[in-house]
Amino acid sequence: MKASEAFKIVKQALGTSVETWPGYSPSSVPFAIYDDEDVFYLNHPSPPPERPSQLVAATSIEIGGVKTATIPSRMCPDDKELIPLVYHEGFHVYQDTGRFQFNEQFNFFRTLAYYPELDSTYRALCYAEAQVLNDTRLPSSDKAAYLAAIARRRYQILAERESLLAFEKSSERREGTASHVEQKARSQIFGVLPGPVPSLYGWSRQYM
């Protein structure tokens, strides 16, 4: 999707935003919606005259001294992908302006190097966690007990390397909540319910 088209869709959609998190609305969040040629700003008080060099991902960055959600329109083939992403990235701005405090300290690149994504025991635990969450026959009390046991073992593995637990907790709080907001927007606006929980990182499972 071209940035010009995405801008029009987002501007119209945010005229009547839905509630996905107490106190959060993307309607007042500054956005930079861009493609390879153009960038369009929404709710930004002082957009820069030149294209920012940091426009490389869907995220929250500072543009002109203002926390701004950046939306690469090429990631979105239609409004069903675009609008939930807007809610997600806008929520990161909401987090970054003081609503959430992330005190966990870790070396991001060292963490990625040591994350046990290919460890067979860790992958089995992730798979088991997803299976428990997807099992509609299990009572909530049983699910809670099984998930607590699985998480305890996962955390034991993460604790073997420096910073992995801090990374996990920070990811669950930051990306987990943003993913929850994205899913609620997709459900309320388009009637698309979340699919089965995938066997991925913790934050993408816990907030389904």
Side-chain angles (χ1 to χ4, degrees):
M1 182 185 298
K2 298 287 288 183
S4 56
E5 180 185 359
F7 173 77
K8 293 176 183 177
I9 293 172
V10 172
K11 186 174 182 180
Q12 180 177 3
L14 296 190
T16 54
S17 63
V18 298
E19 183 175 349
T20 54
W21 188 273
Y24 165 64
S25 171
S27 298
S28 58
V29 171
F31 286 96
I33 302 167
Y34 69 97
D35 56 23
D36 293 337
E37 292 81 31
D38 300 307
V39 54
F40 296 87
Y41 294 95
L42 184 63
N43 301 327
H44 199 292
S46 53
E50 298 182 358
R51 182 189 181 93
S53 60
Q54 317 100 296
L55 294 180
V56 295
T59 187
S60 165
I61 61 174
E62 194 168 286
I63 298 178
V66 178
K67 283 289 183 181
T68 306
T70 59
I71 307 294
S73 61
R74 65 181 181 277
M75 288 179 57
C76 308
D78 54 38
D79 56 348
K80 290 183 180 180
E81 294 296 326
L82 173 64
I83 300 307
L85 180 65
V86 164
Y87 275 78
H88 180 123
E89 301 306 337
F91 193 72
H92 284 320
V93 173
Y94 176 80
Q95 293 170 325
D96 290 341
T97 50
R99 275 69 175 190
F100 287 73
Q101 296 299 320
F102 302 100
N103 299 317
E104 297 88 352
Q105 300 296 318
F106 55 88
N107 183 309
F108 181 76
F109 295 105
R110 180 185 293 272
T111 297
L112 291 185
Y114 287 136
Y115 199 87
E117 189 65 14
L118 299 181
D119 179 275
S120 59
T121 300
Y122 193 80
R123 294 308 312 154
L125 289 166
C126 291
Y127 178 78
E129 200 168 48
Q131 291 296 104
V132 170
L133 286 166
N134 288 325
D135 193 336
T136 57
R137 300 165 299 174
L138 276 178
S140 297
S141 57
D142 289 348
K143 280 193 176 187
Y146 293 149
L147 290 173
I150 294 169
R152 190 179 305 114
R153 182 67 185 98
R154 277 204 309 112
Y155 291 166
Q156 287 175 352
I157 295 175
L158 294 176
E160 294 173 2
R161 291 285 189 172
E162 178 187 352
S163 302
L164 291 189
L165 274 177
F167 169 76
E168 184 85 353
K169 292 177 181 179
S170 177
S171 296
E172 288 202 5
R173 189 170 187 191
R174 181 174 178 81
E175 290 297 341
T177 51
S179 294
H180 171 75
V181 165
E182 177 183 342
Q183 291 170 26
K184 287 198 71 174
R186 184 175 288 110
S187 173
Q188 292 186 47
I189 298 172
F190 299 107
V192 178
L193 299 177
V197 175
S199 176
L200 297 173
Y201 291 108
W203 61 263
S204 64
R205 295 191 299 276
Q206 300 303 333
Y207 289 85
M208 297 298 274

